[in-house]
Amino acid sequence: MVELSTPVQYVKGIGPNVAAVLETKGIATVEDLLYYLPFRYEDRANPRRVAELQPGEMASVIAEVRGSLLMRTRKMPIFELSVTDLGAAYAPEPAGARHSGAKPALRAGAMPRHATLKCLWFHGGYLKDRFRPGQAIALYGKVEQDRRGALQIIQPQFEILSEGDDQENGAQASSSLEIGRIVPVYESAGNGKLTSRWFRHAIHRVLEQLPPDLPDALPAAIRARLNLPPRREALQKAHWPDSGESLRRLLDFRSPAQQRLIFEELFFLELGLELKRRRLRAQRGISFALTDKVRHAVKRLLPFHPTAAQKRVLKEIAADMQQPSPMRRLLQGDVGSGKTIVAMQAAAIAIENGFQVALMAPTEILATQHVFSARRILEPLAYRVVLLTGSLEQDRKRATHRHIAQGDANLVIGTHALLSERLEFSKLGLVIVDEQHRFGVLQRFRLMKKSDDEAEPDVLVMTATPIPRTLALTLYGDLDVSILDELPPGRTPVVTRHVDDERAGEVWAFLRKQVSAGRQAYVVYPVIEGSDEEGQIDFAAAEAKKSTLKAAEQMHRKLKSEILPGVRVGLLHGRLNSEDKEIIMRRFARGEIDVLVSTTVVEVGVDVPNANLMIIEHADRFGLSQLHQLRGRIGRGSAKSFCVLMTTGEITEDAQKRLAAMVRTSNGFEIAELDLEQRGPGEFFGTKQAGMPSFRVANLLRDRDLLEAARREAQAALAGMDTAAPSADFSRTLVHLKAHWQRRYGLVEVG
Ligand code: ADP
Ligand code: MG
């Protein structure tokens, strides 16, 4: 017998070496191994016969090896294998007898003709000694026709069915795991050291040794309500589905067994997050007063009528701020939806109550921008706004620190420098974090730790990354979410075009026309920029940065002297010191610069309504969300705006799709979905910033419905605890959560 907690290396057949390979997949215990689910299944109960294959289909074939050869073409060695239906070979090999047990199930009796199937592997030299005539083999891949009409599969996945650890297991057991049923296919591990077949056998053995009853930490009532099978059964059937199970459903991860395991993972995540949220609510926060004086101040700083969405969101924030528990709120709104003014209103509430506010931005340029607009917006209230960045001179930095500590500064705007250990606030009441997707969740915690002995400050996180709601709930699971889903009135949609740079001449002519009509423009270059405060030790990245920066500088010179003589052209990039950045941004904002050649530092937050044209060079090198952010810099004024996506020569199919999406839509959510699809959640959020738990079974894109259900159930279960002591069943659930939370999700411990 094995237990779930047994380390894998004590499982029969797994030694320290194999255990080390498993470790790389995050598999340490029997439980981990059992949650290593197949990523695919093959229907080998009803495999296609070679004779019935159709070109174009994805097919699972069981066949017999006829022969093989290694062809040395000029370009590369190609390995060719030919197979026929089992038993169709004219010369019965002795090996044939070994498969006789499986033959009836495979309907190998009457073959109409000796159809053959060719399998090709490019650079297949390594396969040359793998096959012998007569071997039974399982193949999976896309059936095609070669030039002469013969059937072939290029680079199929394959498994030799009559070889391997047969001796050890007995041919009988082996063949029943490999054929005659729906067979699980696993990702291999350790560079192919542990094959799919290895996992199949190991997991099968472990399941056999597992007690028939396993404790199930999912509350019985929830299981019953959602019709989910018990844990033991789910584990069994997720690996070894019943013969009647639909292959389609399995491939979609929608069999009851799979659903149960996915739900379980999401339920415990949501339960943990909900507990965290509750614990936070129990902490002592600041209860800001919303007196008439405060309300009046908040109203005074509005230069325009707020949109309905802005009103609603401010109400949500103000309600949080009045509560005696600390606010943790995410404000999500597409670029240009007007988050800044809402944040400033929240700041006014805190400042009017006698507290200080910290606003943290991801880059110096953005911090500088915020200082401009904050001073402008807050002018009627005469607050003291200070800037704190890493590149400030020592003297000035010390002085700024002193102002903050003495409470002279009402609003402190800065970069990572705000996280400095030496910085002390006199009375910090509200922390606003802008463009959260660039910060780690951990940093957020560090910032909040600032006032240990006092009440916890409120935290408002702003992001322009439109994340589908359910994903936001998980990614920022411990935050409440407000959404600005309405743009300020009078915006004209940006006209976007994709243009090959052979037509650059026309584009520059267009730019000249806009400038002489009094408009301004951005010309964006894909320079690789990193935060200087993170310390660059990656030399290759540093080199790439340098060379792309050079290209931007060259372009700047060329535009200035050759292409746009007489036009005032400025250059902005991350390497400039903060004062120079400030000067350039200010001149552009005042209209003293007509064309700003820039790197992606203008991506976030920059707000110059008179700029109505953006030309993005090498647009294919940008990600979708980034393009969308960039384009968000224009279309802010009343004049019609234009975005030109320039590319040079041929671009990849994916890039083509991205640019087409940009031309087609300006809906941030639609673009985010597509971006998410193209890059997957990890890339989309960026592993470093996301602080997102990694899932072993669930997939946030695929399993949104289950995520919603898990959240609902977790909240309901905990709400039940407010009125009555937890049942014995639910107590077990909580014990399980505590035992697993830290290890599984690496998030802050619970309760
Ligand atoms: P973001 O959400 O991208 O931070 P901003 O706060 O920078 O958006 O707002 C974009 C622009 O829209 C700014 O020029 C701002 O002054 C303007 N704006 C914001 N709210 C309104 C409103 N209710 N009516 C008119 N203009 C608005
Ligand atoms: Mg903004």
Side-chain angles (χ1 to χ4, degrees), residues 3 188 275 306 334 469 525 601 619 645-646 659 687 691 700 723 735:
E3 286 177 40
S188 62
L275 275 174
D334 209 344
R469 188 174 174 86
Y525 254 84
V601 293
L645 308 168
M646 296 245 270
L659 301 183
T687 34
L700 288 185
T723 48
V735 169

Side-chain angles (χ1 to χ4, degrees), residues 340 434-435 605:
T340 312
D434 193 14
E435 308 299 346

